[in-house]
Amino acid sequence: MKTGKILFLLVIAALVAGFFLFDLNQYFSLEEIKARQQTLNDLVSANPWLSGGLFFGIYVLVTALSLPGAALMTLLGGALFGIGWGLLVVSFASTLGATLAMLISRFLLRDWVQKRFGSKLKSIDQGMEREGAFYLFALRLVPAFPFFVINLAMGLTRIKASTFWWVSQVGMLPGTFVYVNAGRQLGELESLGGILSPDLIGAFVLLGLFPLIARKIVDMVKARQVYKGWNKPKQFDRNLVVIGAGSGGLVSAYIAAAVKANVSLIEKHAMGGDCLNTGCVPSKALIRSAKLAAEVNRAHALGYNEASASVNFARVMDRIQRVIGDIEPHDSVERYTELGVEVHQGAATIKSPWEVEVNGQTLTTRNIIIAAGARPFMPPIPGLEQANAYNSDTIWGLREQPRRLLILGGGPIGCELSQAFQRLGSQVIQVERSDRLLSKEDPDAAEIVMNSLREEGVDLRLQHEAARFEKVDGQDQLIARNLDTDEEIVIPFDAVLVAVGRKPNTEGYGVETLGLVKRDNGTLETNEYLATRYPNIYAVGDVTGPYQFTHVSGHQAWYAAVNALFGTFKRFKVDYRVIPRVTFTDPEVASVGLTEQDAREQGVEYEVTRYGIDDLDRAIADQAAEGYVKVLTVPGKDAILGVTIVAAHAGELLAEYVLAMKYKLGLNKILGTIHSYPTMSEANKFAAGEWKRAHAPEKLLQWVAKFHNWRLGS
């Protein structure tokens, strides 16, 4: 803590201590005030302005320091100055004192809280920015909430002091009026409880509900403005229309059918979306085939004199299609029809906020969920359109193996496919602008993956930027610029896989007609309930972000479906607190919560516990003793902030930590859980053990050692 804060804290502490040390609180009792009322009245009559100023100053000081007695001083204000002047003096004094208390809390406590609870405070700040005035107003209207607690709590948010001032001024006014008015009959009051009768408390509660009602009215007015110019049907054919049958769309439709809503699902391509047809499923099938080739190459390490296998690339790619076909029934038209979903195969066009056209038929619906997904981004690199170029959607059509495969991009897709194609026999050249791969992961995790790729023969070209593509004597080649030396180099290739990101599908189905707002990255803008600017139109998955994961699309779908169907009664804010991710290289990289990189960037204090997989029995037996489990915790506590695992089966190992973080279980709980031996999952328990060893109570253990020695008679 800085010197200035320490001095200020000492001053505050001295004032508060002095208040109790000199027993000043004796003057802030109802009996004491009633006993001295006549004397005080005489002082006010003799020097009204001086008395008013002193009263104002004392009231501000009591409120700013959060001392007991503000309620009694409000009564005294009514008794001494009457309803008019009393209300004026008390109202402004209480607001000034409350604002000072809020600023004191912010100055002394916010940085400390920010360091320890930065991520949680960020969400509170965002909520306050959206609805801070309404929320604070509701709290101020209900005197059941201690005002000094509200003052201190608001200091931890980023609410503007001016907003806090005027909302407090208006919100506390009804309560201030009641107390000032009661003060005129101060002599008749026996206790503070006599002021707040059940009827009066009920009135305050109704006042507290006013901001919520007002917000509903504001929302209705905004909705009327948004819907202005559109003709709403008098009746609807459906409760919900879902556009897109990927993960987000399928889950949305499933939930709607499960609660007996009338739901239609529209898909213009293949059921299952990108994940089934061109993403997660085919890439993992490819990785499985490539893994066998890697095992054969490492057969000598498992005790074999020799082992060989010949890759039939066309059969590998055909197998991928068979895998897709085997999984396809899970997402098929037939299955969803049996569940009660009306499935349309065709292109959807949103005609109005309540009308969607497909195959010439207009569907009327109360709500719409857009789950249109995303597509690979093809950068505007000169000559790319003439090159033998593929992306993560089209690469699965290959049947002839490229001898030299150029991969642009160092993200998860680029790394997974780079390793897989290299293992299957292609010479992979991977080009990345940054100085490392997997930029969202910690550098040490990326380093392990890069080493693994290099050992298997991948030609990594880091800090290289694709400048242009050329064809010379029938040979495709990339002209890349070395960002270190600014030199241009020539990289010949037979096929290029572009894996530099994905672009949300926000064109061609009515987004422009409705004027839906897009963010700078092209995704559809939605609120915390996943609604667009139209309260009945929602968006989930890659089309809105912020995460491009299949499991997040399904997660969002629950919120969107429930809010669409039952939002009139209750809406739910989407929860992004615990989002896992996995890169399926060998070894895998799995993360949840904060990485070290994230924590440093966000200024979150943390401790690191690391357990090396090279010490794990099962990993050693499997010839997979590479990687680590790294856990970030709150300093001095076992509360988990984030986990990164680099290991074989890291994605499966991560699930235990996802559960722990979701339900706020610390490392002590993981340590106290039995893990089967010998399994990879023991790594999680051993990581918890490393944390426990680092936090052992050394002084207590010294006394325990003495106790045991005493028991031995020494």
Side-chain angles (χ1 to χ4, degrees):
M1 186 178 288
K2 295 180 180 179
T3 305
K5 284 189 177 181
I6 294 174
L7 292 175
F8 187 69
L9 180 60
L10 290 174
V11 171
I12 297 294
L15 290 172
V16 174
F19 179 82
F20 292 101
L21 186 63
F22 294 105
D23 200 22
L24 297 180
N25 57 323
Q26 66 174 307
Y27 299 109
F28 290 87
S29 66
L30 184 60
E31 294 76 13
E32 183 68 20
I33 289 176
K34 288 170 65 176
R36 297 176 179 271
Q37 183 179 359
Q38 187 57 51
T39 302
L40 294 172
N41 281 332
D42 293 341
L43 289 173
V44 171
S45 298
N47 298 287
W49 288 102
L50 178 61
S51 301
L54 286 172
F55 180 87
F56 186 93
I58 294 172
Y59 198 115
V60 169
L61 189 63
V62 167
T63 310
L65 297 178
S66 302
L67 297 173
L72 284 167
M73 287 203 68
T74 305
L75 288 174
L76 185 59
L80 298 179
F81 304 106
I83 187 66
W85 283 106
L87 182 62
L88 183 68
V89 171
V90 171
S91 177
F92 280 93
S94 61
T95 303
L96 177 57
T99 305
L100 289 174
M102 184 272 289
L103 293 174
I104 289 170
S105 171
R106 177 170 296 173
F107 179 70
L108 292 177
L109 300 176
R110 182 173 171 85
D111 289 346
W112 178 82
V113 174
Q114 178 72 50
K115 289 179 180 179
R116 286 157 178 77
F117 310 102
S119 57
K120 294 181 180 179
L121 201 58
K122 183 179 179 182
S123 62
I124 294 173
D125 283 336
Q126 291 173 346
M128 289 300 299
E129 287 176 8
R130 289 190 301 267
E131 53 185 320
F134 279 107
Y135 183 62
L136 177 58
F137 191 33
L139 293 177
R140 287 303 195 198
L141 282 173
V142 183
F145 296 102
F147 284 170
F148 80 93
V149 174
I150 297 172
N151 301 337
L152 299 179
M154 288 296 151
L156 303 181
T157 72
R158 294 191 184 279
I159 188 171
K160 292 181 179 179
S162 57
T163 302
F164 181 87
W165 172 286
W166 74 258
V167 172
S168 297
Q169 186 81 54
V170 176
M172 291 191 295
L173 196 59
T176 301
F177 175 81
V178 169
Y179 272 79
V180 169
N181 184 56
R184 293 190 303 165
Q185 288 84 37
L186 185 62
E188 301 173 13
L189 286 176
E190 297 299 329
S191 69
L192 292 177
I195 302 171
L196 294 177
S197 64
D199 290 343
L200 192 55
I201 291 176
F204 276 135
V205 171
L206 290 176
L207 281 172
L209 292 175
F210 171 75
L212 305 179
I213 298 170
R215 184 175 179 180
K216 281 287 185 184
I217 294 172
V218 169
D219 288 344
M220 290 174 61
V221 171
K222 287 182 179 178
R224 288 179 65 87
Q225 290 296 319
V226 169
Y227 291 125
K228 189 176 182 180
W230 297 103
N231 294 319
K232 185 177 182 179
K234 293 183 179 179
Q235 60 183 24
F236 302 91
D237 302 325
R238 292 154 184 82
N239 301 104
L240 181 65
V241 167
V242 182
I243 299 173
S247 173
L250 291 173
V251 174
S252 297
Y254 181 95
I255 291 171
V259 296
K260 306 305 179 184
N262 193 317
V263 54
S264 293
L265 176 64
I266 304 173
E267 174 55 57
K268 70 176 181 179
H269 293 308
M271 294 286 288
D274 294 337
C275 184
L276 172 62
N277 299 287
T278 61
C280 314
V281 171
S283 65
K284 303 314 164 281
L286 180 72
I287 288 170
R288 177 63 187 90
S289 293
K291 186 175 181 64
L292 177 59
E295 290 292 319
V296 170
N297 289 334
R298 293 186 296 186
H300 66 281
L302 297 173
Y304 288 81
N305 289 330
E306 59 179 328
S308 63
S310 176
V311 175
N312 185 321
F313 186 77
R315 290 184 64 183
V316 169
M317 301 304 281
D318 287 341
R319 173 185 171 274
I320 291 171
Q321 297 306 315
R322 289 199 304 274
V323 170
I324 293 172
D326 290 343
I327 297 176
E328 202 169 33
H330 302 166
D331 301 338
S332 65
V333 172
E334 292 75 17
R335 181 183 182 227
Y336 275 79
T337 300
E338 289 175 4
L339 291 171
V341 179
E342 180 187 62
V343 181
H344 296 265
Q345 293 186 288
T349 303
I350 304 175
K351 293 294 188 179
S352 81
W354 306 278
E355 297 173 312
V356 180
E357 184 181 282
V358 57
N359 300 328
Q361 179 184 359
T362 298
L363 314 178
T364 59
T365 177
R366 281 195 170 276
N367 301 282
I368 299 170
I369 292 179
I370 299 172
R375 62 189 184 278
F377 172 66
M378 299 297 281
I381 303 173
L384 178 60
E385 62 278 5
Q386 278 79 46
N388 185 24
Y390 297 88
N391 56 43
S392 58
D393 279 2
T394 60
I395 194 70
W396 313 111
L398 267 179
R399 289 300 178 271
E400 183 176 343
Q401 185 171 11
R403 184 170 61 88
R404 293 168 300 183
L405 177 63
L406 172 66
I407 294 182
L408 298 184
I413 294 174
C415 290
E416 290 176 6
L417 298 184
S418 174
Q419 189 174 54
F421 275 95
Q422 181 71 31
R423 287 177 163 184
L424 290 171
S426 295
Q427 174 55 62
V428 174
I429 309 100
Q430 189 172 2
V431 174
E432 165 60 33
R433 295 184 77 255
S434 179
D435 60 355
R436 67 179 177 92
L437 305 178
L438 301 176
S439 60
K440 292 185 179 180
E441 305 297 343
D442 281 334
D444 52 359
E447 188 66 31
I448 292 176
V449 172
M450 290 189 293
N451 289 339
S452 179
L453 294 178
R454 288 188 177 111
E455 287 173 4
E456 296 192 26
V458 174
D459 182 4
L460 284 185
R461 304 292 182 93
L462 303 177
Q463 290 192 290
H464 280 66
E465 183 178 56
R468 62 188 182 279
F469 288 89
E470 295 178 349
K471 193 180 289 288
V472 179
D473 297 331
Q475 172 66 62
D476 282 322
Q477 58 186 33
L478 169 68
I479 309 302
R481 186 166 61 91
N482 186 319
L483 299 178
D484 265 342
T485 63
D486 206 33
E487 293 179 288
E488 286 192 343
I489 63 168
V490 178
I491 304 175
F493 64 90
D494 300 310
V496 56
L497 169 63
V498 180
V500 294
R502 296 176 64 78
K503 183 178 181 181
N505 294 321
T506 55
E507 300 91 20
Y509 54 88
V511 167
E512 302 85 357
T513 303
L514 267 65
L516 297 184
V517 180
K518 298 180 187 179
R519 303 185 183 96
D520 292 339
N521 63 2
T523 57
L524 292 180
E525 184 176 283
T526 52
N527 61 18
E528 61 268 37
Y529 304 103
L530 295 173
T532 64
R533 65 188 293 257
Y534 294 92
N536 71 313
I537 300 179
Y538 297 78
V540 301
D542 291 357
V543 78
T544 187
Y547 304 97
Q548 292 187 335
F549 303 132
T550 297
H551 48 279
V552 173
S553 297
H555 177 70
Q556 290 177 319
W558 183 91
Y559 290 91
V562 170
N563 288 337
L565 297 171
F566 303 106
T568 303
F569 310 103
K570 171 67 177 177
R571 294 191 300 171
F572 297 88
K573 296 180 181 179
V574 63
D575 181 4
Y576 293 124
R577 290 175 300 168
V578 185
I579 302 294
R581 64 175 182 265
V582 184
T583 299
F584 294 92
T585 49
D586 187 4
E588 295 177 357
V589 180
S591 302
V592 63
L594 295 177
T595 63
E596 276 197 90
Q597 182 173 266
D598 295 333
R600 284 193 295 267
E601 290 175 354
Q602 297 176 24
V604 178
E605 288 190 354
Y606 63 93
E607 288 182 1
V608 176
T609 299
R610 185 181 178 115
Y611 172 75
I613 297 295
D614 60 339
D615 198 43
L616 185 66
D617 292 1
R618 181 56 185 270
I620 295 170
D622 285 354
Q623 203 70 31
E626 180 183 23
Y628 60 79
V629 176
K630 180 166 58 176
V631 184
L632 273 61
T633 51
V634 175
K637 298 182 180 179
D638 73 335
I640 303 169
L641 296 172
V643 180
T644 296
I645 304 177
V646 182
H649 310 294
E652 276 74 27
L653 295 179
L654 188 71
E656 185 170 15
Y657 288 108
V658 176
L659 178 72
M661 292 182 67
K662 173 73 175 177
Y663 294 102
K664 296 181 172 57
L665 305 176
L667 290 179
N668 281 314
K669 296 293 186 182
I670 292 177
L671 182 61
T673 300
I674 297 174
H675 293 69
S676 301
Y677 177 86
T679 60
M680 293 293 290
S681 68
E682 284 188 295
N684 294 340
K685 181 171 184 173
F686 293 148
E690 290 293 321
W691 178 88
K692 191 70 172 180
R693 187 160 33 251
H695 293 80
E698 295 298 336
K699 290 185 178 180
L700 176 61
L701 291 176
Q702 290 173 9
W703 282 102
V704 172
K706 291 179 180 179
F707 167 76
H708 289 310
N709 288 331
W710 173 77
R711 292 290 300 272
L712 292 173
S714 57

